[in-house]
Amino acid sequence: MTSLPHRLVSTALAAATALTAAACAPDPPARAPGRTTVTFWTMPFWIGRPNNLKHLIEDFNASQSRVTVELTVLDWQTGRDTIKKAVKSGRGPDVWLANNGLELDLLAAAELAPLDTLGYTPEDLGRFRPLAKVNEYQGRLYGAPLYFDVNVLLYRKDILQKYGFNEPPRTWEELKSTAAAVGARSAASGKKVTGWQFKGMDDHLNAINPTWESFLCQAGGTLTSPDFRTSTQNTEAGRTAMEYMKSFYTEKISTPGVSALSGFINGDVAMFSFYQSVISDIAAGNERTHGRWAAAPMPVGPKSGCSAVGGHSLVARSDLPDPGATGTFMRWLASPSVSTRFMEFHGIFPYDTAKVPRETRAAVDAFYQTDPSWAPIMAQFDRSTADLLLQDRYGFAARWEAQKSEVTAGVDGRTPVDQALRSIDSTVDKALRGG
């Protein structure tokens, strides 16, 4: 892969400005004379190297004679709401970072530009992996995927081997028995290690959503009915998934509040699951984690080994003054060649490698060959479909807020399982009727 130049400067970027989000939208930037200015708002998705995106935008601007991109970097806590409010008020950016799956209200209100109006050809669109269907609406694609995420199993090889396990668990039953044995054997040796922690029952409450949806999927559950009109979590599959997760706490295998990620890095947690991009945080543990951990596909549940799908895409507003200029930028940042760069933080390459240039395919293969975690990541990715994320689009905000409170309460025993599931369905059904 041809490397992109990085001009490391200490002064503000001449053509791309990074701002921190406030409660309201930033003021529109001044337009560069003689050039079309495209505004781009994003959260710092380049894990571990937040300045890399600024350098990419600087490189893009230096390569252009007609287009200048103005970059605004928002924080994760408020960024999505800032963008949505700004778009609704007519003061939003031309392009922004969106979750894969996209937001239904923006799609239904025709706030987003279809990619085929931004210069994308059928050949361009055909290069994406089939999972790009998560960004379809009424037969057209509205988001250009930068990368995909899937939940994978992360395990400490050193801890499992110390307590008698040379392989990671492959089923729900093995996951539970391995976690219980690690906890009991470590306690007997004088230092208790938590065998398993559900991420989201710890220091990152929002993470309960992909965690829960992964286990619900593995139990054969769905989020909505096929017509997307009814929430469907209070079912036999939902009860199976939540009772299984709850058993880790009633049987004292896991403890609410134990940090999955920091505990894993420190050697206090043996296993957890989350999106594969968290590998960058694990690698940052340096000597505490180097050579001590590995990834594996998710343990298979009663029905399957599926998991939640995530990641991010670029979208553009529908009332662009210059769709051609905006499309030029989007097709560059979300291009096959630039998308290989996002594999540095284990973002899953969004293109079919058989349909990209040879040089790009070689760069992707190099990532696969030099990092053993890619094989299990892609094995998990191959289990993924668009179904769960397309269901999640309907009643998304209500569902994610309800799951944060009700799943955690149902799993740690504060709320009966049936009541927690009924509460989720009731909350989401109200949102679906209102929408």
Side-chain angles (χ1 to χ4, degrees):
M1 178 178 65
T2 303
S3 61
L4 296 172
H6 290 164
R7 291 179 300 283
L8 301 175
V9 295
S10 58
T11 56
L13 301 180
T17 303
L19 302 174
T20 300
C24 58
D27 291 330
R31 301 287 173 171
R35 293 161 69 99
T36 297
T37 299
V38 174
T39 54
F40 173 38
W41 293 6
T42 181
M43 282 66 72
F45 66 86
W46 204 312
I47 300 168
R49 299 180 182 179
N51 289 329
N52 280 16
L53 181 60
K54 299 174 187 177
H55 299 319
L56 274 183
I57 301 304
E58 189 180 34
D59 293 335
F60 172 79
N61 286 335
S63 72
Q64 299 295 308
S65 60
R66 194 176 73 85
V67 182
T68 294
V69 171
E70 296 275 2
L71 174 67
T72 297
V73 179
L74 309 171
D75 64 78
W76 281 109
Q77 185 175 2
T78 63
R80 293 186 183 93
D81 284 343
T82 297
I83 291 170
K84 190 170 182 178
K85 290 175 182 177
V87 171
K88 288 292 187 181
S89 71
R91 289 169 50 86
D94 299 318
V95 181
W96 63 93
L97 186 76
N99 289 342
N100 283 334
L102 310 184
E103 295 196 47
L104 179 62
D105 57 347
L106 295 180
L107 291 164
E111 300 276 5
L112 303 183
L115 296 188
D116 57 22
T117 67
L118 301 173
Y120 279 84
T121 67
E123 182 181 10
D124 293 332
L125 301 178
R127 291 194 181 102
F128 287 119
R129 292 182 181 274
L131 201 59
K133 181 179 175 66
V134 298
N135 290 336
E136 279 189 6
Y137 181 68
Q138 297 182 345
R140 301 174 82 179
L141 200 64
Y142 286 80
L146 295 177
Y147 63 93
F148 290 106
D149 283 327
V150 292
N151 268 34
V152 293
L153 171 68
L154 290 312
Y155 66 99
R156 290 285 300 238
K157 295 185 297 182
D158 55 345
I159 296 175
L160 262 59
Q161 289 169 0
K162 181 177 180 179
Y163 297 110
F165 300 95
N166 292 319
E167 299 291 338
R170 292 182 171 83
T171 66
W172 276 16
E173 293 78 11
E174 289 182 7
L175 174 61
K176 188 174 176 180
S177 62
T178 300
V182 167
R185 293 170 190 175
S186 62
S189 69
K191 183 183 183 298
K192 174 70 179 292
V193 174
T194 299
W196 169 265
Q197 177 67 354
F198 292 99
K199 188 148 182 63
M201 300 294 292
D202 56 6
D203 57 348
H204 184 188
L205 184 61
N206 198 55
I208 200 63
N209 289 297
T211 298
W212 164 243
E213 293 181 8
S214 294
F215 282 89
L216 177 66
C217 175
Q218 291 161 17
T222 60
L223 299 174
T224 71
S225 57
D227 61 6
F228 308 118
R229 294 182 178 180
T230 305
S231 182
T232 56
Q233 298 200 32
N234 187 25
T235 59
E236 181 179 353
R239 289 186 288 275
T240 295
M242 193 172 287
E243 290 286 5
Y244 173 74
M245 293 172 65
K246 181 179 179 180
S247 69
F248 281 76
Y249 296 90
T250 57
E251 297 173 27
K252 302 189 185 306
I253 297 170
S254 298
T255 304
V258 174
S259 172
L261 177 59
S262 62
F264 187 84
I265 291 172
N266 293 330
D268 298 322
V269 171
M271 298 180 288
F272 78 105
S273 68
F274 199 55
Y275 289 139
Q276 85 290 333
S277 51
V278 80
I279 287 173
S280 294
D281 296 302
I282 295 171
N286 299 319
E287 71 279 355
R288 291 177 293 169
T289 55
H290 183 69
R292 300 173 183 268
W293 67 277
M298 291 288 287
V300 175
K303 297 298 183 181
S304 76
C306 57
S307 77
V309 173
H312 291 95
S313 292
L314 296 182
V315 297
R317 61 188 177 97
S318 56
D319 59 342
L320 292 163
D322 190 340
T326 299
T328 295
F329 168 61
M330 287 180 62
R331 295 196 310 276
W332 183 85
L333 188 60
S335 67
S337 60
V338 176
S339 291
T340 62
R341 299 289 304 278
F342 308 140
M343 295 181 73
E344 293 176 10
F345 58 83
H346 289 85
I348 297 173
F349 189 64
Y351 290 93
D352 182 340
T353 54
K355 299 179 180 179
V356 300
R358 181 183 304 173
E359 179 180 292
T360 302
R361 184 163 60 249
V364 174
D365 289 343
F367 277 102
Y368 290 159
Q369 294 165 8
T370 57
D371 188 336
S373 62
W374 275 110
I377 289 170
M378 297 312 295
Q380 184 66 47
F381 184 80
D382 288 342
R383 299 175 179 178
S384 302
T385 69
D387 297 343
L388 203 64
L389 198 50
L390 289 175
Q391 293 168 23
D392 216 356
R393 178 188 285 171
Y394 293 79
F396 173 81
R399 179 182 298 107
W400 274 49
E401 285 304 310
Q403 287 174 173
K404 283 195 292 188
S405 59
E406 297 300 334
V407 171
T408 53
V411 170
D412 69 18
R414 287 175 289 138
T415 302
V417 166
D418 283 352
Q419 180 180 328
L421 293 170
R422 283 197 303 270
S423 179
I424 293 171
D425 280 350
S426 174
T427 299
V428 177
D429 281 342
K430 290 178 183 177
L432 293 175
R433 289 194 296 270

